[in-house]
Amino acid sequence: METYDYIIVGAGSAGCVLARRLSDDPSLSVLLLEAGPPADKFWVRAPAGMAKLYFHKQLNWNYFTEPMPLLHDRRMYWPRGKGLGGSSAINGMVYIRGHRKDFDTWRGLGNPGWGFEDVLPYFKRMEHNDRGEDAYRGVGGPLWISDPVVRHPASADFIEAAARVGIPRTEDLNGEVHDGVGFMQHNIRKGRRQSAYTAYVAPVRGRTNLTVRTGAFVQRIVFDGLEASGVELIEEGRQRTIHAAREVIVCAGALNSPQILMLSGVGPGDELQRHGIRQIIQSPGVGRNLQDHFYVHTSYRATRASSYNHEITGLRKYWQGLRYLLSGTGYLALGSSQVAAFVKSRPEEDYADLQISFRPMSFTYHGDGVVEVDPAPSMAASVYRLRPAGTGTVSLRSADPRQSPAFQPQFLTHPEDVKAVIAGIRQIRRILASEPLASRVLGEHMPGPHAVTDDEILEYLRTHGNSAHHAAGTCKMGQDAMAVVDERLRVRGLRRLRVVDASVMPHVTSGNTNAPTMMIAEKGADLIRQDALVYRASVDGGPN
């Protein structure tokens, strides 16, 4: 009987953190399972490689949503990391924690221990910020946080232009003042991506009490009554069952964790019955409350000095490649965006409900998932609503684990979301029309001068809007009837089973979600150690 104390399903942003922290105790045995392959590739390590990974056949689940009626029946592409590091191995590496009120709201929804002052120590514990330590930043943690190695003049001008239209400056978007405009930091160390695997697991991969398996596709959780006892998986073409002496911890992300629960008999009763799955427990919230940031991209033709498009296209891209290989610097060492502005869509908002991101380059997103840098000098800005009112669902397409789930994000179904994003487009235009940035602009390319009225801008959103790939909330924690886990991340009504990833967020955070997901796992590891369940009585001899 192959048995471990803890089985972690998914080696993504949360799973890698948990594996490191739980295996810090040499008396515990930890198994980390990943359906995808190792991710030790050049374009994973190089920050600019994110475009190469956007539709990668091995390192990406390559999901699509269901057709969305309000977006001209488009099936939107949803990339998700598949491999060691999960989405942290393919994302834009932006490090944003979210607003302190996000976490205070979590606590207010019946989750004691999740307010900002509760979670701040976990953020600090995981960080090594190259700015040094202060009341908000940490040093000495596994995850390296750095400033852009190139601060483009156009980015500095965006900050100045935003300040001139009334957006306050902030020196640290993760510090005391979140709302405002400033340079972002990234999970990059000496020019290399810091995925959760690179930061947390790779340095301790030789531990005898930590086992990491790739190509291990978990089909379902195995139960003994109402107690999780292990997992059933496919590995090297063979089906096997591995037992957990203490707990099974699902860290498969907001899109896959609810799928695994439902395939295991944990979910809405009608959903399970429809697919002939034996119900272990009725949990109506599994796969509900899907939240994501609806994202819209704008671009502007610019003077040559205002964009680095020409540096990463044509023959000059080879010079940038050589520069990167020799020094780990240059434009290939940058994250996805340089600057962010957190602003209100209307004065009545309690705190910023829009994130505007700016980059002194532009790209074209093609419907087949290909991302291509534009050949002409251009700048780009994007906006999304931070706290969406509309929520969607993750449901099963079939009882076959190999079939991808069905995703209905319900973008633009709530009028407040529509109004907010339209207001964001108008704020981008105000900033780009203000000096010193205005002198760099030669003309608006997208949405373009034809999109003036709210209806015309809405049509642009429907045609070109996308996902920011910040899915969350599908196994939310709380006390209400739709809560899937409690404040200790234990699946309600069951024993020895937890969910630890972005799916437990009651509400998606105000910004990029990778940092808060890793924080959830840092805190989750402490909760698991504090609960310290004894060996399951039915497991002979303890873990191997």
Side-chain angles (χ1 to χ4, degrees), residues 40-302:
D40 187 20
K41 298 180 182 293
F42 174 79
W43 288 119
V44 173
R45 297 190 297 273
M50 69 192 95
K52 301 282 188 182
L53 304 170
Y54 200 67
F55 207 73
H56 200 281
K57 293 182 179 180
Q58 286 78 45
L59 297 175
N60 203 314
W61 286 99
N62 298 318
Y63 285 144
F64 282 87
T65 68
E66 297 299 288
M68 293 174 285
L70 291 182
L71 278 74
H72 301 306
D73 283 326
R74 282 194 290 141
R75 296 181 69 238
M76 189 177 291
Y77 177 55
W78 268 15
R80 304 301 297 173
K82 182 182 182 183
L84 295 178
S87 291
S88 73
I90 68 169
N91 68 4
M93 294 151 288
V94 171
Y95 187 80
I96 291 289
R97 293 172 175 172
H99 198 284
R100 65 184 303 135
K101 290 186 178 180
D102 295 336
F103 307 103
D104 290 344
T105 299
W106 291 6
R107 181 182 58 198
L109 291 171
N111 298 293
W114 289 93
F116 179 73
E117 295 300 331
D118 301 309
V119 303
L120 178 59
Y122 292 103
F123 278 118
K124 294 179 68 176
R125 185 171 83 178
M126 74 191 204
E127 299 172 353
H128 182 81
N129 197 306
D130 69 0
R131 294 186 186 180
E133 186 173 18
D134 65 13
Y136 294 91
R137 295 193 293 260
V139 297
L143 186 69
W144 198 282
I145 312 300
S146 65
D147 291 302
V149 293
V150 178
R151 291 195 175 201
H152 197 280
S155 297
D157 284 353
F158 179 92
I159 294 173
E160 175 62 25
R164 292 188 187 185
V165 300
I167 301 171
R169 301 172 188 265
T170 178
E171 291 301 314
D172 188 350
L173 292 165
N174 295 306
E176 183 177 5
V177 180
H178 176 268
D179 289 1
V181 62
F183 278 98
M184 291 191 285
Q185 292 191 295
H186 300 84
N187 306 342
I188 298 173
R189 180 181 185 182
K190 298 179 180 179
R192 291 191 169 198
R193 173 193 293 273
Q194 281 270 283
S195 72
Y197 175 79
T198 302
Y200 277 85
V201 176
V204 300
R205 186 71 185 264
R207 287 178 173 173
T208 57
N209 66 329
L210 174 61
T211 302
V212 181
R213 292 188 185 174
T214 56
F217 181 71
V218 173
Q219 296 184 299
R220 67 183 183 95
I221 301 156
V222 178
F223 288 92
D224 182 359
L226 296 179
E227 190 170 85
S229 61
V231 297
E232 179 185 281
L233 62 116
I234 299 293
E235 190 175 28
E236 296 178 345
R238 295 169 50 206
Q239 180 174 302
R240 64 181 63 182
T241 299
I242 303 177
H243 296 267
R246 294 181 187 267
E247 294 190 39
V248 175
I249 309 161
V250 181
C251 303
L255 301 185
N256 289 99
S257 285
Q259 179 194 26
I260 291 172
L261 290 183
M262 287 185 282
L263 290 170
S264 307
V266 180
D270 57 346
E271 177 87 352
L272 304 180
Q273 185 177 10
R274 182 165 60 251
H275 296 291
I277 298 171
R278 183 175 70 88
Q279 180 176 299
I280 300 297
I281 193 170
Q282 161 86 340
S283 186
V286 174
R288 292 354 184 215
N289 191 48
L290 171 62
Q291 298 178 32
D292 191 11
H293 293 137
F294 179 77
Y295 161 103
V296 63
H297 176 78
T298 72
S299 65
Y300 290 77
R301 296 184 299 276

